[in-house]
Amino acid sequence: MSDQSPPFRTAAVIPAAGRGVRLGPGAPKALRTLNGTPMLIHAVRAMAASRAVSLVIVVAPPDGAAEVKSLLADHALPDRTDFLVVPGGDTRQESVKLGLDALPPGIDAVLVHDAARPLVPVDTVDAVIEAVRDGAVAVVPALPLADTVKEVEPRTDGSPEPVLATPERARLRAVQTPQGFDRETLVRAHETVTDNVTDDASMVEQLGEPVVVVPGHEEAFKVTRPLDLVLAEAVLARRRANDGF
């Protein structure tokens, strides 16, 4: 009888079905290029860079699964990692659920990663996985805020918005991805929570389960607006210069 426990296996789900309208007209956000390579490929490689990730599931636009499969086939990806493409839904939440439905048996932890965060360093990915391996059911990488934050009463007519409160900045964090989860907990959250949420960790919070934070990284920023593309290109240029990346 062996004393060895079965290996702890991690999969990453990358919802990439959104259009990314804030980047302007053109290809879906995940297919915009950075240094000539689609953001999605950068994001997939970022997950696969972790030796702990054995499977990456890309959730494609509902009518774009074939295109994404072709895209993955056209770019060099690590042989040690398996890749799967599934069609997504109308919302991010639906797309993540479809990615979870495609998970094979034997996966213990699940990362959910934004395709629009293509440059997250592998050390951040590994830190999230390690926290789940150590017993956390939900883990988010996050950074302290540099700016003071105001809670306001929103206005839709363009008029000045009244300030309601100034939260204590030391208690606030800007959350990034990949977010890591115990598989059973995340599946239960997606089966239970029907509210439209902005991230998966908030779904786990609604179950009453604890969510913990590990340090994020400034290069794990989300590419949302045209200026973010410029910054991402600059990061890639620095990496090429310093590391031959």
Side-chain angles (χ1 to χ4, degrees), residues 9-17 40 43-45 47-48 53-60 68-69 72 77 81-88 94-105 107 109-115 183:
R9 297 186 64 210
T10 300
V13 174
I14 303 179
L40 175 59
V44 168
R45 287 173 174 167
M47 296 300 98
V53 174
S54 58
L55 170 66
V56 177
I57 296 177
V58 179
V59 188
V68 171
K69 287 179 183 178
L72 295 183
L77 299 171
T81 309
D82 293 326
F83 301 93
L84 179 64
V85 177
V86 299
E94 291 176 9
S95 292
V96 173
K97 175 64 165 58
L98 289 166
L100 294 176
D101 290 344
L103 287 171
I107 296 295
V110 181
L111 304 179
V112 181
H113 184 59
D114 295 332
R183 175 183 180 170

Side-chain angles (χ1 to χ4, degrees), residues 65-150:
E67 180 183 2
V68 171
K69 287 179 183 178
S70 176
L71 196 68
L72 295 183
D74 289 343
H75 290 81
L77 299 171
D79 291 336
R80 67 173 182 271
T81 309
D82 293 326
F83 301 93
L84 179 64
V85 177
V86 299
D90 293 331
T91 67
R92 182 187 185 280
Q93 203 162 324
E94 291 176 9
S95 292
V96 173
K97 175 64 165 58
L98 289 166
L100 294 176
D101 290 344
L103 287 171
I107 296 295
D108 302 287
V110 181
L111 304 179
V112 181
H113 184 59
D114 295 332
R117 296 183 190 271
L119 304 180
V120 58
V122 67
D123 288 350
T124 303
V125 180
D126 286 339
V128 172
I129 296 170
E130 186 65 28
V132 178
R133 185 185 287 118
D134 288 345
V137 297
V139 183
V140 297
L143 293 175
L145 297 184
D147 298 322
T148 297
V149 175
K150 301 289 185 183

